Amino acid sequence: MRLATKGRYGLRLVLDIAQHEGYGPVSMAETSLRQDISAKYLERLVGELQRAGILKSLRGREGGHLLAVPPENITVGDIVRVLEGESAQLACSNNRLSCPRSVHCLTRAIWVAADQAMFEKLDSVTVRDILNDGQNCLAKKEAAKAKLLTVLTGAGEPPASQGQRKKVARRVFRQRVAQFAAQQKVRPAGSPKLVMVVDDDPDIVDYLVSIFRGRGYATCSASGGAEAMELLQHEAPDLITLDLEMPDEWGPKFHQKFMKMPDHKDIPVVVVSGLPGIHRAIPKAVATVCKPFEPLEVLRIVEETIGEP
């Protein structure tokens, strides 16, 4: 009952097309930039959604992708079923033969009910609902921003012109972000060393996190380069374990980005990947580990690099 990357990214893809198709067919290059997801990965999702009748494509110079049906007729459940099939569900919930214990299993009814409840919720939400909620949120944010500016400027009313309001807003929010980042990066004396795990496979993330926490390290994790960059805005890891092949961003590209950040350029990296030739992917990595890996070997590398927790 866990949604994988395909389902989540597929929903973002459909929403992006729904938001922008008013200007004509949407290209995957544009969606890739807006959503920070690999264009090649998006094209694979498009093919499956086309065959299911959710998207359609137009060829030619001005070609691209459009919704094949109105957004109010597409539910989140439709997208998840197309892209994930049974992987989003517990196998035994709709196939007794998948497990030899199904006939006598006392817990099967619980998992069947939970599975049904999840898809009832996903089937109750349409793409149109999400778009409407997004517009309402934007309106509330604008109202809150105007109210905040009134307080911060010490005036009875916000600055008169739109340009002035934007200028004050940018300055205030930059200050708030900087203050928050500074507060988060200061770790109390004696706190355990922090290891960041970056991998798009949730099972690998859970495994590595359990290994490091069991040894006494603090951990944080990200499912891709974009999410990891956000984490680096308010975390100061002592070491990063990095997968290479991730759908939203290639591991070495993320490495190049954070190496340009003065506060993070010296963070040691341990590459953990199932790809061949991984020792050549990031030459500056302190070590490379092939999947599947031995947990004691990973711990040994981490302790030799940053010391005990």
Side-chain angles (χ1 to χ4, degrees), residues 6 10 33 40 64-65 85 88 107 115 124 126 131 139 150 160 190 193 206-207 221 239-240 267 271 279 284:
K6 286 182 70 176
L33 288 173
K40 188 177 292 186
H65 306 286
T107 62
D115 190 66
S124 71
T126 69
L131 293 176
T150 303
K193 291 171 183 173
D206 291 344
Y207 188 37
S221 62
L239 180 141
I240 296 175
I267 300 174
V271 174
H279 61 285
K284 292 185 178 181

Side-chain angles (χ1 to χ4, degrees), residues 14 18 21 52-56 66-75 78 127:
V14 173
E21 68 173 2
I54 292 176
L55 298 182
K56 61 182 178 181
L66 301 164
L67 297 185
V69 292
E72 55 269 22
N73 294 341
I74 305 171
T75 70
D78 294 333
V127 170

Side-chain angles (χ1 to χ4, degrees), residues 128-189:
R128 173 65 70 196
D129 294 333
I130 299 174
L131 293 176
N132 289 343
D133 286 345
Q135 291 172 349
N136 292 335
C137 285
L138 285 175
K140 289 178 181 178
K141 284 182 180 179
E142 288 300 320
K145 189 187 296 184
K147 184 177 180 180
L148 176 63
L149 289 174
T150 303
V151 175
L152 292 172
T153 54
E157 295 293 335
S161 73
Q162 186 177 8
Q164 287 177 311
R165 288 199 299 272
K166 287 184 176 180
K167 187 175 180 180
V168 173
R170 283 196 297 268
R171 185 175 70 249
V172 170
F173 290 124
R174 278 199 300 268
Q175 292 171 348
R176 293 293 171 87
V177 169
Q179 290 169 359
F180 178 77
Q183 292 168 356
Q184 294 298 311
K185 285 183 180 180
V186 176
R187 296 210 300 270

Side-chain angles (χ1 to χ4, degrees), residues 218-232:
T219 63
C220 59
S221 62
S223 61
E227 187 178 341
M229 288 299 290
E230 291 180 11
L231 266 178
L232 286 176

